[in-house]
Amino acid sequence: MNSEKVNMETVDDSSIGSTFSEAARKRRNAPYGSDDDSYLEDSINSRSGDDDKKKEKTCNLVAFWLLGLCNNYAYVVMLSAAYDILETKDDSDGNNKTAHDIIPINPPLYNLTNSTSIDPYECTVISTGAVLLADILPTLIIKLTSPWFADRIPYDIRVAFCILTGVTCFVLVSLSEVVGLTLLGVVFASISGGLGEFTFISLTSYYHKNVVSTYSSGTGAAGLFGALSYAGLTMILSPRNTLLVMLVIPVLEGISFWVILDRKTFANLPRPSRDDIEPLLDNEPRRVENKLSVDKKIQAIKPLLKYIIPLILVYYAEYVINQGLFELIYFPGIWLSHSEQYRWYQVDYQLAVFISRSSVNLIQFKRLWILAVLQFVNLAILMSESTLHFLPNIWIMFLIVFFEGLLGGTAFVNTFYRISQESSPKDKEFSMGVTTISDSSGITLAALSAIPLHNALCKA
């Protein structure tokens, strides 16, 4: 570190107290009648600097929570809204089609069936896993390719692209009269969410470790808030107008990044290597910015496998349950219809994910493989329930689903928290970004498994 650079030290309460003590000593030793009030100025400046740092830290925590919320919100809402928007559309041959004639686009909230048969599963023609596969592939492709070139693209450009694709998805799905364009809108939501997650999780490496927790909490809130806000707004507005109202979300994402977030931590960094960037927040290690070569990136992936593999397994089991089994587990003769049961399974799950993704500052898990084992236990139980129907009532099902959501959210937030704590400063940005492939890989594998699983159970 060059001597001319200023090392910004953390100012705690004890240092503030010593500052005022020193000021009092200077005042006592000053000549009688002296007008020298520099002691007072020093005290005020010290306290002002401490207040500024606390305000800066709070703003960053709020900004990352909002970024997590906004980034995942469009994806959640698109899965809910596309079914309503597609309810009546004309195909290219001029034939009027309903949503029941095309691929269902709404796995998170609806069962998509009005079957009156005695089939215990009330199976849909096409598994919701097919829709999940279509929605997750763009995200997976982005996360697989971004670690190798995204460091050459400034964060401002990446975030602007995420916002643009987010706006595009809302507009296309809302205003389109062509099925293909509507589906393209859902793809834009996937692109926005995939690039956004890679970008924002990489960005956490420049900030205090607690922003990992707040970002994860925001993503959990997106699932819950997205589903509930869409359901609530469509009670008073049409689905099309509801989506247009939700254009406020990309605007909020831009405000969070360009206004609320303290961007001087990274905004002026040149892309070539630069040494010794001083921390701007308390309790942060010195940041070393190095552009990693391809060989170094490959080497950096090896120690990450202990995080990546358990998270892939957790998400695989989780989404086989959500998109392969939820629609097949039905309790007839209760106060909830089949579609309502499916909807409340998802709300139950999203609530648990939100709680667990917000918990890392209270509880941390180092043995992430245990979470994967427990999630596969859930999968085995619910696989058995889908064929044997042994659960006595839906409340036990709700408990299992809630536990499933807790495991998924806990695995997600603790994975990135451990990486933020244990990665070397020069590898941290890349390590945080590349690990985002875990959830998407697990979800993609789950979608590929859910389709034949659905077909096998329904034809049994």
Side-chain angles (χ1 to χ4, degrees), residues 11 23 30 63 66 92 151 158 226 253 265-266 295 310 315 369-370 393 427:
V11 181
L66 290 173
S92 57
D151 58 337
R158 282 192 257 170
E253 185 173 4
T265 307
F266 69 90
D295 289 340
Y315 268 82
W369 60 269
I370 295 178
N393 58 64
D427 295 337

Side-chain angles (χ1 to χ4, degrees), residues 57-180:
K57 180 179 178 180
T58 300
C59 287
N60 290 334
L61 295 175
V62 171
F64 272 97
W65 192 90
L66 290 173
L67 289 172
L69 173 69
C70 295
N71 185 66
N72 282 30
Y73 187 88
Y75 177 75
V76 172
V77 170
M78 284 302 105
L79 291 174
S80 303
Y83 176 70
D84 292 327
I85 298 300
L86 287 171
E87 195 164 18
T88 302
K89 286 186 182 290
D90 294 331
D91 67 8
S92 57
D93 297 326
N95 299 320
N96 194 30
K97 289 192 175 185
T98 68
H100 297 283
D101 299 318
I102 59 175
I103 296 176
I105 304 299
N106 195 20
L109 292 181
Y110 299 97
N111 186 50
L112 305 184
T113 177
N114 287 329
S115 171
T116 57
S117 69
I118 60 174
D119 177 7
Y121 296 119
E122 292 196 1
C123 291
T124 56
V125 176
I126 300 176
S127 168
T128 54
V131 179
L132 177 64
L133 183 62
D135 280 337
I136 199 60
L137 277 178
T139 292
L140 178 62
I141 292 171
I142 287 172
K143 290 181 179 179
L144 286 173
T145 56
S146 293
W148 311 103
F149 69 86
D151 58 337
R152 297 180 175 88
I153 304 174
Y155 279 103
D156 293 87
I157 295 178
R158 282 192 257 170
V159 173
F161 184 77
C162 291
I163 293 172
L164 179 62
T165 51
V167 170
T168 303
C169 79
F170 281 117
V171 172
L172 277 179
V173 177
S174 175
L175 302 180
S176 173
E177 296 293 341
V178 180
V179 171

Side-chain angles (χ1 to χ4, degrees), residues 392-405:
N393 58 64
I394 196 172
W395 296 108
I396 296 177
M397 179 65 181
F398 281 145
L399 287 176
I400 295 173
V401 171
F402 192 82
F403 183 56
E404 175 214 349

Side-chain angles (χ1 to χ4, degrees), residues 143-144 146-147 197-199 201-204 304 416 419 427-438:
K143 290 181 179 179
L144 286 173
S146 293
E197 182 170 290
F198 173 84
T199 297
I201 287 182
S202 298
L203 190 60
T204 62
L304 296 176
F416 291 103
I419 293 173
D427 295 337
K428 186 182 292 186
E429 181 181 7
F430 172 78
S431 298
M432 296 287 281
V434 75
T435 306
T436 62
I437 67 172
S438 305

